[in-house]
Amino acid sequence: MDLPTVYEDEEKTKVMEVHFREPFSNWGQTVNHEPRYTFLPTTVLGVQNLVRYAVANKLRVRCAGYRHSWSPIFSQEDNILVSFVNLEQVTKLPNPMSLLPGDFVGDGELRTIELKEQLGETKRLCRIGVAVTNEDFRRWAVANNAWALPVDVILVEVTVGGVNGPICHGAGHRHQTCSDGVRRVEYVDCNGRLQVVDDPKLIKAAAGSFGLLGVVTHITFELDKMTYAVMQPRKVDVGLAIPPLKKEDIPPALRADWFDAKDAEKQMEAARLEFERRAADDYYSEWFWFTYQQKAWVNTWNAVEEATDVVEYPDYAATFLQWIEGWLGGILTSCKVFNALPGQWQAQLLATSGMAALPPYFSENDTPTIRTHLTNALHFRRGIQNMRVRDIEYQIPIPPLHPGDPASAPDFSIVQRAWWDIIALVYSYADGTAPMRLTLEMRIMGGSDVLLAPQHGNAPWGTASIEVLTVPDAVTDNEWNGFIQKVTDIWMGYEYKVKEGGVKEKLNVRPHWAKEWDGLTLHGMEARKYLKEVAYKEQIPAFREALAEIGKGQGWGLADLKGRFSNELWDELVFDKE
């Protein structure tokens, strides 16, 4: 058949790449459908012409990068998908991007990095094309050694637009989400016109709009002056890395020698104080527990201004090794022989190798110090793309230690509880069953001003961003879906006191928009209904109002957005009145 002709230049000499009914599958393989057309634009004018084509043919437009979301936020069947990554690169595993040599060189208008005005000695704006990957920006930041994003996801095989759209985050109690650092959004609206949002109020909607505003082409972030992470990764007994509320909460299989020592309670109290110090004060704070492992991996660190003894981390050899580990993990977890093993055996093998792949490498008691560029420390693992996983993540508000006191310290006991409740759940399975075959991961972070952020309203005490990961075979074995419903019920059930002596209320625990939540039951309600009517009861209307205000000044309405940039999920959650 004849493919549509969409030009990318004024002279009409460059035709946009387009594919007809190219099957779509996200990285986690939870979303599968067939768009009518998949377009790959490289210019802003090309995006404008593409939207005009969609208007003329009454088609919806949704965008994708590396497709790392698990929820159904992508394009709609028989409509238009815009891919900012070429189709071979985005679907090919293993992905060689992190191994290819050379500095970042932008190609095309949508893959550029431009420094803009400086806001002070330590702040500067930077305009970034949405097709720029985290690996592109990492190389640019390290090579220039001047400015850095203060927070980011670990993954490098992801686009800047893909991180920003679903409101992704990093770690550190002082930090908000990645989207909170956005100062300007440039996008093509539902009429094919190039528009800008930089109003401080309206940016709270535009900076995390899931593609509902239009096709975003460039995002201007506020960067920090480059600093240098002093990484001191440790492998700590799981009972002391994040100690439980009671010693007896540690499953018998994880009770180390210190458990029966006379000073066990003293050791636990010292561990609790150390955990709370790291959680409250460190620039970056993250903990991993790999299934059945005696030790947890503690990765919290601070940054300094001095570039003394700074090394490339990971260096090329270590990057290659990480990439190989991810590739072999992908091969192993898709192998029929491996998948025939009982889940507990799989978990033991994967967890042991996962822990061994993290520093310190040669002795768990080593205490290495690694000084590296902040950007490298944020992206300390490469080749994650090579091994597909399943992932559920929730944002748990941390309540105040003293209810009703705005100056109160955070009550980190909720974090201890959330951590150990899942470890106990893991050990409640027997007979070879192991739904969680990879890791329990937890990051402490702040709140968010972005309207639809699941961390919204969690300041000043912060958020426990906690997730569980497994391999696809746990789904095939019919273990995963029931397990994540149990995880959901546990984390959603937490309560707190609004004031001293008051009644307890449910914490507003919310899932990460990009992870697995659709189809679950939250507090007895279907997940979509719960998010709309309870979790985001005030935020979704505020988001709609902000979009309407943007459109009033730019010549479009909410019904136009629904017709052009929505899908079934957002029709139900945001545009049900249009």
Side-chain angles (χ1 to χ4, degrees), residues 311-516:
V311 298
E312 182 75 7
Y313 180 80
D315 60 19
Y316 188 80
T319 297
F320 181 72
L321 180 60
Q322 291 180 0
W323 188 90
I324 290 292
E325 289 165 352
W327 176 43
L328 292 177
I331 292 175
L332 184 67
T333 55
S334 59
C335 171
K336 291 183 179 180
V337 174
F338 178 82
N339 290 337
L341 296 174
Q344 288 186 356
W345 292 20
Q346 293 182 27
Q348 287 280 14
L349 179 60
L350 293 169
T352 302
S353 58
M355 193 65 164
L358 294 169
Y361 301 111
F362 303 111
S363 171
E364 290 188 344
N365 297 319
D366 284 352
T367 55
T369 295
I370 305 163
R371 292 174 177 262
T372 190
H373 291 82
L374 180 88
T375 310
N376 279 337
L378 295 177
H379 304 298
F380 62 88
R381 287 294 296 181
R382 314 287 163 76
I384 296 174
Q385 171 86 356
N386 293 342
M387 178 178 167
R388 301 184 198 274
V389 301
R390 300 293 292 263
D391 190 351
I392 181 173
E393 177 181 334
Y394 282 86
Q395 313 301 315
I396 302 175
I398 300 173
L401 185 61
H402 303 292
D405 180 2
S408 172
D411 182 2
F412 287 113
S413 68
I414 195 71
V415 182
Q416 296 169 266
R417 183 179 172 187
W419 181 261
W420 282 97
D421 279 351
I422 301 310
I423 293 176
L425 179 63
V426 167
Y427 275 96
S428 72
Y429 286 82
D431 302 323
T433 302
M436 189 186 92
R437 300 180 190 176
L438 285 175
T439 188
L440 170 66
E441 178 186 356
M442 194 267 296
R443 286 167 282 178
I444 298 295
M445 62 173 297
S448 175
D449 295 322
V450 176
L451 288 176
L452 289 189
Q455 301 86 355
H456 186 87
N458 292 356
W461 300 291
T463 308
S465 175
I466 186 165
E467 61 188 304
V468 172
L469 295 93
T470 198
V471 295
D473 190 55
V475 181
T476 304
D477 290 343
N478 296 317
E479 297 178 12
W480 178 243
N481 292 337
F483 174 76
I484 62 174
Q485 183 62 62
K486 290 181 179 180
V487 171
T488 297
D489 294 342
I490 290 170
W491 285 340
M492 293 290 294
Y494 295 151
E495 299 177 327
Y496 78 111
K497 287 185 179 181
V498 178
K499 59 183 179 179
E500 291 287 0
V503 297
K504 289 185 176 181
E505 296 184 8
K506 296 289 187 185
L507 286 168
N508 193 5
V509 178
R510 291 174 281 207
H512 190 313
W513 284 108
K515 302 297 174 68
E516 296 184 58

